[in-house]
Amino acid sequence: MAPAASSTIDARRDQMFLVLADADVERMRRFGEARFYATGERIVTAGEVSPGLIVILSGRADLTQDGGLGQREAIINCGPGNFIGELAQLSDRPSLVNAEAIEPVEAVVIPSQRLRDLIVQEASLGERVMRALILRRVGLLESGISGPTIIGPHGKGDMLRLQGFLTRSGLPHRALDSDTDPCAKTLIERFHIDTHHLPIVLTPNGKLLRNPRENDLARCLGLLRPVDANKVYDVAIVGAGPAGLAAAVYAASEGLSTIVLDCRAFGGQAGASSRIENYLGFPTGISGMALMARAYNQAQKFGAELVIPDEVKLLSTAADSSDARYALDVGDGETVRTRTVVIASGARYRRLEIPNLAQFEGASVHYWASPIEAHLCEGREVALVGAGNSAGQGAVYLANHAKKVTLLARRGSLDETMSRYLVERIAAQPNIEVQTETEIEVLEGHGGNLDQVRWRHHATGRETTRAISHVFLFIGADPNTDWLVDCDVALDAKGFVRTGPDLTPTTGLLETSRRGVFAIGDVRCGSIKRVAAAVGEGAQVVASLHAYLAQNGGRTVVPEAARRP
């Protein structure tokens, strides 16, 4: 968010910190309430929930972000026509910045719910406000100053786990190497931290967490809040990948009360893709994270409630309410009550059948290639296993950072499983070596760090050993349906959810063996494993939800014409 942090942000400064015309301010007044702040009064505090979007009518305020060790960095001085807020205010999450009145400030404060109403009801004005909120979050991400601070040994498994979680959650943060960073060493000494407690996380609200689970970190940061046990949702969506987020956008935009749960982060496997080039409407390609972040923000814009990371453990029939048909048992003993359920839990990454694989996972064995992993591979040789599009995208991305990428494939040719444009791109990269009919046999290392890899060529039996410290596995995925085993939802022999005519001739295309429970995306038997197909099923299932709710005493069906964009 700091203007000097990025030439991109500099170029869009007027869109980030737009000055609203008097007419725009008047249109915003009906969504908020008047407030007055005295000189020196704190308007917003990092780590605490902001009262909402704050439109300044008169006076001035300074925006700052915490830089660690009590230091603050100036962002901008706001005056009449400016507003204070970013994406956190869209969903009532804790603020990432500070705002203080430097002279008496008269303002209109628009709370989160009314901010979403403004964005939807005032289309032109709402578009400009939404763009500013997104750009401000981008600025905070690029500055690398605000948000929590992770301190620990560079490249270790738990350090990468926490960095990866915050990155995929779209939350600004910074990581300090406990071995080399002077600031990190000072903080460790100040808080008397033993090395076996590393990594630690310092949060904007002043709390210190020792090697936390993702769930505990999310709760501390305000990303994950308690589920309202008294509320009955129209639809609960399990999974926040492309299918789940698409269903959330369409369901929430059509007035269905919607909750989305995911045990990891939004985006699913698509969110981990370094570049998607065959998704309609993006001729120059887009990273999976960027695409999924847009969908995530879009779902919030329409009022979908996103509970991430929170794991669904059991689907059962609701016993305590005639209004709720189903109950979902989630983490920390909570229950989500809902009229319908959409299963969009996607797939989990396949693992190599190597006895000591687990000891290297996290630090040396990776299942996606993000900038975090790419940084670890700078100037090194890496191995990547797989022959599908995700493997091809990962290999090309890593080739821009690693000294050499050796791509290992079991099949005799990449053409059998990979899009032609990726095959050609790999062939054109001088530092990508393709080894077909080859599999990894042995991983060797110590202390969780990989030292060398041995693989074998099937046809010749020839074995090769290389000094490689990072291996990337893109060998496909299995359906993430273990949680459905005791839920009376029919699965096929491979664990995919059976739907539609696969069950009975009269069952709806996306409906499962339980009425009111639907399945979409990669988790569904017979689905096309493409981002576009998942998004299409996410949109399609909403019509089925309306029909089911209308037939079973729920909400009335939205007319088809009204559902079209």
mmCIF file of all heavy atoms in Angstrom, residues 231-237 248 251-260 302-305 337-340 545 549 555:
data_model
loop_
_atom_site.group_PDB
_atom_site.id
_atom_site.type_symbol
_atom_site.label_atom_id
_atom_site.label_comp_id
_atom_site.label_asym_id
_atom_site.label_seq_id
_atom_site.Cartn_x
_atom_site.Cartn_y
_atom_site.Cartn_z
ATOM 1 N N LYS A 231 -28.324 -19.898 13.388
ATOM 2 C CA LYS A 231 -28.700 -19.528 12.027
ATOM 3 C C LYS A 231 -28.882 -20.760 11.161
ATOM 4 O O LYS A 231 -28.119 -21.720 11.250
ATOM 5 C CB LYS A 231 -27.624 -18.627 11.411
ATOM 6 C CG LYS A 231 -27.983 -18.116 10.016
ATOM 7 C CD LYS A 231 -26.981 -17.085 9.528
ATOM 8 C CE LYS A 231 -27.359 -16.543 8.160
ATOM 9 N NZ LYS A 231 -26.424 -15.486 7.696
ATOM 10 N N VAL A 232 -29.898 -20.725 10.306
ATOM 11 C CA VAL A 232 -30.122 -21.784 9.331
ATOM 12 C C VAL A 232 -29.859 -21.196 7.945
ATOM 13 O O VAL A 232 -30.531 -20.248 7.529
ATOM 14 C CB VAL A 232 -31.558 -22.347 9.404
ATOM 15 C CG1 VAL A 232 -31.770 -23.402 8.317
ATOM 16 C CG2 VAL A 232 -31.832 -22.934 10.776
ATOM 17 N N TYR A 233 -28.892 -21.760 7.263
ATOM 18 C CA TYR A 233 -28.521 -21.274 5.939
ATOM 19 C C TYR A 233 -29.356 -21.953 4.862
ATOM 20 O O TYR A 233 -29.799 -23.096 5.028
ATOM 21 C CB TYR A 233 -27.037 -21.538 5.672
ATOM 22 C CG TYR A 233 -26.109 -20.766 6.579
ATOM 23 C CD1 TYR A 233 -25.708 -21.295 7.805
ATOM 24 C CD2 TYR A 233 -25.642 -19.512 6.219
ATOM 25 C CE1 TYR A 233 -24.858 -20.586 8.651
ATOM 26 C CE2 TYR A 233 -24.793 -18.791 7.050
ATOM 27 C CZ TYR A 233 -24.407 -19.338 8.268
ATOM 28 O OH TYR A 233 -23.578 -18.630 9.090
ATOM 29 N N ASP A 234 -29.525 -21.265 3.752
ATOM 30 C CA ASP A 234 -30.181 -21.899 2.607
ATOM 31 C C ASP A 234 -29.271 -22.957 2.000
ATOM 32 O O ASP A 234 -29.740 -24.015 1.572
ATOM 33 C CB ASP A 234 -30.538 -20.856 1.541
ATOM 34 C CG ASP A 234 -31.642 -19.926 1.993
ATOM 35 O OD1 ASP A 234 -32.601 -20.405 2.623
ATOM 36 O OD2 ASP A 234 -31.546 -18.712 1.713
ATOM 37 N N VAL A 235 -27.963 -22.650 1.962
ATOM 38 C CA VAL A 235 -27.029 -23.600 1.376
ATOM 39 C C VAL A 235 -25.681 -23.515 2.093
ATOM 40 O O VAL A 235 -25.185 -22.422 2.377
ATOM 41 C CB VAL A 235 -26.842 -23.358 -0.141
ATOM 42 C CG1 VAL A 235 -26.414 -21.933 -0.448
ATOM 43 C CG2 VAL A 235 -25.845 -24.339 -0.734
ATOM 44 N N ALA A 236 -25.121 -24.673 2.385
ATOM 45 C CA ALA A 236 -23.757 -24.776 2.898
ATOM 46 C C ALA A 236 -22.911 -25.435 1.821
ATOM 47 O O ALA A 236 -23.251 -26.527 1.343
ATOM 48 C CB ALA A 236 -23.718 -25.583 4.189
ATOM 49 N N ILE A 237 -21.834 -24.787 1.429
ATOM 50 C CA ILE A 237 -20.952 -25.282 0.372
ATOM 51 C C ILE A 237 -19.663 -25.771 1.009
ATOM 52 O O ILE A 237 -18.983 -25.004 1.704
ATOM 53 C CB ILE A 237 -20.662 -24.178 -0.659
ATOM 54 C CG1 ILE A 237 -21.977 -23.677 -1.278
ATOM 55 C CG2 ILE A 237 -19.714 -24.682 -1.749
ATOM 56 C CD1 ILE A 237 -21.820 -22.410 -2.106
ATOM 57 N N ALA A 248 -21.016 -20.184 -4.708
ATOM 58 C CA ALA A 248 -21.228 -19.157 -3.690
ATOM 59 C C ALA A 248 -21.607 -17.829 -4.325
ATOM 60 O O ALA A 248 -22.516 -17.132 -3.857
ATOM 61 C CB ALA A 248 -19.969 -18.997 -2.845
ATOM 62 N N ALA A 251 -25.209 -18.232 -5.840
ATOM 63 C CA ALA A 251 -26.233 -18.418 -4.805
ATOM 64 C C ALA A 251 -26.424 -17.135 -4.005
ATOM 65 O O ALA A 251 -27.563 -16.681 -3.789
ATOM 66 C CB ALA A 251 -25.834 -19.572 -3.885
ATOM 67 N N ALA A 252 -25.332 -16.523 -3.563
ATOM 68 C CA ALA A 252 -25.441 -15.312 -2.746
ATOM 69 C C ALA A 252 -26.006 -14.156 -3.550
ATOM 70 O O ALA A 252 -26.801 -13.353 -3.037
ATOM 71 C CB ALA A 252 -24.074 -14.957 -2.174
ATOM 72 N N SER A 253 -25.617 -14.050 -4.823
ATOM 73 C CA SER A 253 -26.113 -12.942 -5.646
ATOM 74 C C SER A 253 -27.605 -13.073 -5.920
ATOM 75 O O SER A 253 -28.268 -12.090 -6.240
ATOM 76 C CB SER A 253 -25.341 -12.872 -6.964
ATOM 77 O OG SER A 253 -25.628 -13.988 -7.795
ATOM 78 N N GLU A 254 -28.140 -14.276 -5.774
ATOM 79 C CA GLU A 254 -29.568 -14.493 -5.994
ATOM 80 C C GLU A 254 -30.358 -14.544 -4.691
ATOM 81 O O GLU A 254 -31.504 -14.971 -4.662
ATOM 82 C CB GLU A 254 -29.762 -15.777 -6.799
ATOM 83 C CG GLU A 254 -29.209 -15.644 -8.213
ATOM 84 C CD GLU A 254 -29.310 -16.922 -9.022
ATOM 85 O OE1 GLU A 254 -30.042 -17.830 -8.591
ATOM 86 O OE2 GLU A 254 -28.659 -17.000 -10.079
ATOM 87 N N GLY A 255 -29.710 -14.118 -3.612
ATOM 88 C CA GLY A 255 -30.436 -13.946 -2.364
ATOM 89 C C GLY A 255 -30.463 -15.137 -1.437
ATOM 90 O O GLY A 255 -31.129 -15.095 -0.391
ATOM 91 N N LEU A 256 -29.757 -16.220 -1.751
ATOM 92 C CA LEU A 256 -29.711 -17.371 -0.846
ATOM 93 C C LEU A 256 -28.670 -17.117 0.230
ATOM 94 O O LEU A 256 -27.542 -16.690 -0.059
ATOM 95 C CB LEU A 256 -29.356 -18.647 -1.616
ATOM 96 C CG LEU A 256 -30.325 -19.083 -2.712
ATOM 97 C CD1 LEU A 256 -29.848 -20.387 -3.356
ATOM 98 C CD2 LEU A 256 -31.735 -19.261 -2.167
ATOM 99 N N SER A 257 -29.044 -17.367 1.487
ATOM 100 C CA SER A 257 -28.053 -17.235 2.567
ATOM 101 C C SER A 257 -27.050 -18.374 2.406
ATOM 102 O O SER A 257 -27.411 -19.553 2.399
ATOM 103 C CB SER A 257 -28.736 -17.284 3.930
ATOM 104 O OG SER A 257 -29.462 -18.481 4.099
ATOM 105 N N THR A 258 -25.781 -18.017 2.281
ATOM 106 C CA THR A 258 -24.761 -18.954 1.828
ATOM 107 C C THR A 258 -23.568 -18.958 2.768
ATOM 108 O O THR A 258 -23.060 -17.899 3.140
ATOM 109 C CB THR A 258 -24.277 -18.558 0.416
ATOM 110 O OG1 THR A 258 -25.403 -18.486 -0.463
ATOM 111 C CG2 THR A 258 -23.266 -19.553 -0.121
ATOM 112 N N ILE A 259 -23.113 -20.153 3.116
ATOM 113 C CA ILE A 259 -21.891 -20.294 3.894
ATOM 114 C C ILE A 259 -20.964 -21.246 3.138
ATOM 115 O O ILE A 259 -21.420 -22.239 2.569
ATOM 116 C CB ILE A 259 -22.163 -20.805 5.331
ATOM 117 C CG1 ILE A 259 -20.856 -20.827 6.150
ATOM 118 C CG2 ILE A 259 -22.834 -22.171 5.334
ATOM 119 C CD1 ILE A 259 -21.079 -21.090 7.629
ATOM 120 N N VAL A 260 -19.683 -20.923 3.107
ATOM 121 C CA VAL A 260 -18.679 -21.739 2.422
ATOM 122 C C VAL A 260 -17.634 -22.159 3.442
ATOM 123 O O VAL A 260 -17.117 -21.323 4.191
ATOM 124 C CB VAL A 260 -17.992 -20.963 1.281
ATOM 125 C CG1 VAL A 260 -17.012 -21.860 0.530
ATOM 126 C CG2 VAL A 260 -19.028 -20.382 0.326
ATOM 127 N N PHE A 302 -21.202 -10.244 -2.487
ATOM 128 C CA PHE A 302 -22.626 -10.570 -2.493
ATOM 129 C C PHE A 302 -23.111 -11.108 -1.149
ATOM 130 O O PHE A 302 -24.270 -11.498 -1.019
ATOM 131 C CB PHE A 302 -22.931 -11.576 -3.598
ATOM 132 C CG PHE A 302 -22.836 -10.991 -4.985
ATOM 133 C CD1 PHE A 302 -21.906 -11.469 -5.896
ATOM 134 C CD2 PHE A 302 -23.673 -9.962 -5.373
ATOM 135 C CE1 PHE A 302 -21.820 -10.930 -7.168
ATOM 136 C CE2 PHE A 302 -23.593 -9.412 -6.642
ATOM 137 C CZ PHE A 302 -22.655 -9.897 -7.551
ATOM 138 N N GLY A 303 -22.217 -11.154 -0.155
ATOM 139 C CA GLY A 303 -22.648 -11.500 1.191
ATOM 140 C C GLY A 303 -22.482 -12.946 1.598
ATOM 141 O O GLY A 303 -22.976 -13.345 2.662
ATOM 142 N N ALA A 304 -21.785 -13.752 0.801
ATOM 143 C CA ALA A 304 -21.516 -15.126 1.212
ATOM 144 C C ALA A 304 -20.600 -15.115 2.433
ATOM 145 O O ALA A 304 -19.671 -14.316 2.521
ATOM 146 C CB ALA A 304 -20.869 -15.923 0.079
ATOM 147 N N GLU A 305 -20.857 -15.990 3.363
ATOM 148 C CA GLU A 305 -20.029 -16.107 4.565
ATOM 149 C C GLU A 305 -18.988 -17.192 4.324
ATOM 150 O O GLU A 305 -19.331 -18.344 4.071
ATOM 151 C CB GLU A 305 -20.907 -16.458 5.769
ATOM 152 C CG GLU A 305 -20.159 -16.497 7.083
ATOM 153 C CD GLU A 305 -21.082 -16.750 8.266
ATOM 154 O OE1 GLU A 305 -22.311 -16.524 8.118
ATOM 155 O OE2 GLU A 305 -20.590 -17.193 9.316
ATOM 156 N N ARG A 337 -26.047 -25.435 10.464
ATOM 157 C CA ARG A 337 -27.370 -25.943 10.106
ATOM 158 C C ARG A 337 -27.796 -25.340 8.774
ATOM 159 O O ARG A 337 -27.660 -24.138 8.555
ATOM 160 C CB ARG A 337 -28.373 -25.611 11.200
ATOM 161 C CG ARG A 337 -28.016 -26.241 12.555
ATOM 162 C CD ARG A 337 -29.154 -26.131 13.534
ATOM 163 N NE ARG A 337 -29.524 -24.748 13.792
ATOM 164 C CZ ARG A 337 -30.714 -24.363 14.238
ATOM 165 N NH1 ARG A 337 -31.668 -25.252 14.429
ATOM 166 N NH2 ARG A 337 -30.956 -23.093 14.474
ATOM 167 N N THR A 338 -28.312 -26.174 7.908
ATOM 168 C CA THR A 338 -28.582 -25.719 6.546
ATOM 169 C C THR A 338 -29.727 -26.488 5.913
ATOM 170 O O THR A 338 -30.022 -27.624 6.301
ATOM 171 C CB THR A 338 -27.310 -25.868 5.678
ATOM 172 O OG1 THR A 338 -27.559 -25.380 4.367
ATOM 173 C CG2 THR A 338 -26.856 -27.312 5.610
ATOM 174 N N ARG A 339 -30.373 -25.862 4.927
ATOM 175 C CA ARG A 339 -31.461 -26.515 4.205
ATOM 176 C C ARG A 339 -30.932 -27.405 3.082
ATOM 177 O O ARG A 339 -31.536 -28.418 2.745
ATOM 178 C CB ARG A 339 -32.411 -25.449 3.631
ATOM 179 C CG ARG A 339 -33.067 -24.592 4.709
ATOM 180 C CD ARG A 339 -34.013 -23.551 4.100
ATOM 181 N NE ARG A 339 -34.651 -22.763 5.146
ATOM 182 C CZ ARG A 339 -34.166 -21.622 5.634
ATOM 183 N NH1 ARG A 339 -33.048 -21.122 5.134
ATOM 184 N NH2 ARG A 339 -34.797 -20.984 6.599
ATOM 185 N N THR A 340 -29.820 -26.996 2.474
ATOM 186 C CA THR A 340 -29.219 -27.790 1.394
ATOM 187 C C THR A 340 -27.704 -27.803 1.572
ATOM 188 O O THR A 340 -27.134 -26.953 2.273
ATOM 189 C CB THR A 340 -29.546 -27.216 0.004
ATOM 190 O OG1 THR A 340 -28.969 -25.907 -0.106
ATOM 191 C CG2 THR A 340 -31.044 -27.145 -0.238
ATOM 192 N N LEU A 545 -30.720 -25.828 -6.586
ATOM 193 C CA LEU A 545 -30.997 -25.410 -5.205
ATOM 194 C C LEU A 545 -32.334 -24.689 -5.119
ATOM 195 O O LEU A 545 -33.149 -24.954 -4.223
ATOM 196 C CB LEU A 545 -29.877 -24.482 -4.710
ATOM 197 C CG LEU A 545 -28.482 -25.078 -4.563
ATOM 198 C CD1 LEU A 545 -27.485 -23.982 -4.192
ATOM 199 C CD2 LEU A 545 -28.460 -26.187 -3.530
ATOM 200 N N LEU A 549 -35.505 -26.009 -2.913
ATOM 201 C CA LEU A 549 -36.031 -25.201 -1.821
ATOM 202 C C LEU A 549 -37.497 -24.842 -2.057
ATOM 203 O O LEU A 549 -38.301 -24.812 -1.117
ATOM 204 C CB LEU A 549 -35.199 -23.929 -1.669
ATOM 205 C CG LEU A 549 -33.772 -24.142 -1.136
ATOM 206 C CD1 LEU A 549 -32.955 -22.857 -1.261
ATOM 207 C CD2 LEU A 549 -33.799 -24.616 0.314
ATOM 208 N N ARG A 555 -37.065 -21.233 0.159
ATOM 209 C CA ARG A 555 -37.242 -19.976 -0.565
ATOM 210 C C ARG A 555 -37.887 -20.233 -1.916
ATOM 211 O O ARG A 555 -37.757 -21.287 -2.511
ATOM 212 C CB ARG A 555 -35.883 -19.292 -0.755
ATOM 213 C CG ARG A 555 -35.176 -19.020 0.567
ATOM 214 C CD ARG A 555 -33.778 -18.509 0.327
ATOM 215 N NE ARG A 555 -33.805 -17.161 -0.213
ATOM 216 C CZ ARG A 555 -33.759 -16.071 0.543
ATOM 217 N NH1 ARG A 555 -33.678 -16.177 1.840
ATOM 218 N NH2 ARG A 555 -33.780 -14.869 -0.008
#
